[in-house]
Amino acid sequence: MPPKSWKDYVPRYVSLYYVDYNENLDSREDLQERCIRRNSLHPLEEQVWEWYAEQEHDNLQGYLADIRKAMEADGKADEYARNEEGIKDLLYERNSIDPTDELIDNSAVTNMFYSLGVEIEGYVYGSNARKESEAISLRKIRRALKLKKGQFADELHELLANAPYGGELRIYFNAIFSRLLTGDTGNDFKRIRFYGDVIVAIADSRNGAGYHVRLPTDITLPFCRDNLFTDSQVHYSYANEICGMLNSWCDSTRWETGMKPLKSTMRKSRMSEHQKQEALYEKRFREGGCTLGDMNHKRHRNTYYINSFPCGTKCPHCGTFWID
Ligand SMILES: [Zn+2]
């Protein structure tokens, strides 16, 4: 038998991390959104390293202590000391648990939307006239969804009638967010296909309103990452904040991505601008201030009601006024 090398003391299977099945990313859709934006798992991995650093350290020390004890028992204390760095490297190499993967595996699907980059105009405030006729709105929707005239006429009428404020035209679907990453910014997806019972919504994230319908259709669109969003991270979020729906509500939309380019192009969604604006409002509020024009009550302090015409609520700090 050849003499035992220090490598023989390192177990073949090493787990430097333990991720409980209860641990997942369901309450960390902010991190998921950051990964979607960057087409990379990196924003998540950075967090995971932080979360699991202590556990990794403790587990590594545990393995080292066991190996040291075993080698000392065989009279190899010196060999251990000489090779400790090599032993550490080998432990990392043999580690079979990636906590990022485990957390993703434990996570539920996330409500996502793909913006068609089309804004449907709603009613003019305080009047009963739409800014655009239903015929024009319908034409915009049909063009965006590549529908023939008359196709899904009832559903589209229902959609428009129930979204009086208008908003952005979106397709809602559920996804494990990591399946929407190529991890290579230079080589992103080129197309995305939606089929099954496709959930089509008009959602107004600025004012918090919207409606959706289910269309049994099949549509392939150019993939434009700027049009892809984690719903909960665009306020007001349609599924949570506006409708309060169960996570599974948009399961019926099936989807797949592809790498073959399409000739057509996507109109850009306005939501990334909106998201940036929201982030600025949040930051200002956390720093103790507020912003004129930010219509989210929660980001103002000491607002009070004015009971004379025009009635409404006012913020004494920035002057934002919510008319009744
Ligand atoms: Zn204010």
Side-chain angles (χ1 to χ4, degrees):
M1 221 170 90
K4 233 177 159 183
S5 120
W6 60 266
K7 287 183 181 173
D8 298 318
Y9 290 87
V10 178
R12 207 154 288 283
Y13 300 102
V14 175
S15 305
L16 291 178
Y17 312 93
Y18 170 73
V19 179
D20 189 86
Y21 71 93
N22 281 321
E23 290 168 35
N24 58 53
L25 302 167
D26 293 350
S27 60
R28 292 312 304 267
E29 291 189 359
D30 56 329
L31 273 177
Q32 299 185 28
E33 171 70 15
R34 276 161 58 198
C35 293
I36 292 286
R37 292 276 66 81
R38 300 220 344 233
N39 188 16
S40 163
L41 276 180
H42 201 67
L44 170 62
E45 284 166 343
E46 278 180 340
Q47 274 294 318
V48 169
W49 289 328
E50 235 171 77
W51 292 336
Y52 290 87
E54 198 180 316
Q55 203 196 75
E56 176 194 300
H57 175 264
D58 292 349
N59 287 335
L60 184 69
Q61 294 309 315
Y63 278 109
L64 288 174
D66 290 348
I67 293 166
R68 178 187 209 144
K69 213 187 278 168
M71 288 181 76
E72 278 171 357
D74 292 346
K76 294 181 173 178
D78 287 353
E79 199 184 336
Y80 175 85
R82 275 200 311 278
N83 292 292
E84 194 175 35
E85 285 312 303
I87 292 170
K88 274 187 200 169
D89 288 346
L90 193 56
L91 283 167
Y92 276 111
E93 202 183 300
R94 290 188 177 171
N95 166 56
S96 59
I97 304 280
D98 179 342
T100 300
D101 291 347
E102 302 272 316
L103 287 170
I104 293 172
D105 284 349
N106 291 346
S107 300
V109 288
T110 302
N111 290 171
M112 312 283 307
F113 70 82
Y114 193 62
S115 165
L116 295 162
V118 173
E119 296 280 337
I120 303 300
E121 301 286 354
Y123 283 89
V124 182
Y125 185 80
S127 102
N128 54 6
R130 286 191 102 102
K131 276 190 199 153
E132 65 190 16
S133 69
E134 184 168 323
I136 289 180
S137 300
L138 277 173
R139 203 181 316 146
K140 281 181 170 174
I141 297 171
R142 278 201 307 266
R143 199 186 304 147
L145 294 171
K146 300 179 186 172
L147 300 174
K148 288 189 205 75
K149 200 167 181 187
Q151 219 183 337
F152 305 123
D154 293 346
E155 289 90 339
L156 296 185
H157 174 73
E158 180 192 341
L159 179 62
L160 281 172
N162 289 287
Y165 297 104
E168 190 184 50
L169 191 64
R170 301 171 176 172
I171 290 175
Y172 272 88
F173 63 107
N174 267 333
I176 295 290
F177 76 100
S178 58
R179 287 192 53 213
L180 288 160
L181 308 174
T182 64
D184 177 357
T185 42
N187 194 25
D188 208 344
F189 300 116
K190 300 295 186 295
R191 55 168 70 192
I192 186 161
R193 173 188 173 211
F194 297 101
Y195 60 108
D197 283 331
V198 179
I199 305 256
V200 174
I202 293 176
D204 179 358
S205 286
R206 292 179 189 85
N207 299 306
Y211 194 75
H212 68 270
V213 290
R214 227 168 271 251
L215 306 180
T217 186
D218 189 332
I219 180 176
T220 301
L221 298 164
F223 183 87
C224 170
R225 184 161 295 279
D226 291 343
N227 285 30
L228 176 67
F229 296 91
T230 307
D231 182 63
S232 66
Q233 302 305 303
V234 180
H235 299 283
Y236 295 93
S237 98
Y238 180 66
N240 309 132
E241 292 167 315
I242 300 173
C243 303
M245 284 183 287
L246 290 174
N247 195 50
S248 60
W249 76 280
C250 54
D251 273 345
S252 69
T253 306
R254 304 189 60 197
W255 63 276
E256 63 186 22
T257 48
M259 299 306 286
K260 217 171 110 193
L262 286 172
K263 279 205 186 81
S264 50
T265 53
M266 285 300 291
R267 290 159 180 264
K268 283 258 183 304
S269 169
R270 288 196 210 157
M271 286 303 115
S272 42
E273 284 311 309
H274 173 65
Q275 234 178 359
K276 276 174 210 149
Q277 180 66 69
E278 284 282 301
L280 289 176
Y281 287 158
E282 284 289 337
K283 183 165 176 282
R284 182 93 189 85
F285 182 70
R286 261 182 270 126
E287 289 164 355
C290 56
T291 316
L292 176 65
D294 176 7
M295 300 315 283
N296 187 340
H297 285 272
K298 290 181 196 157
R299 285 187 300 237
H300 300 268
R301 300 171 177 88
N302 319 106
T303 55
Y304 61 96
Y305 192 74
I306 300 173
N307 207 2
S308 57
F309 186 82
C311 298
T313 307
K314 191 171 173 146
C315 173
H317 307 295
C318 68
T320 296
F321 183 69
W322 294 265
I323 197 158
D324 262 6

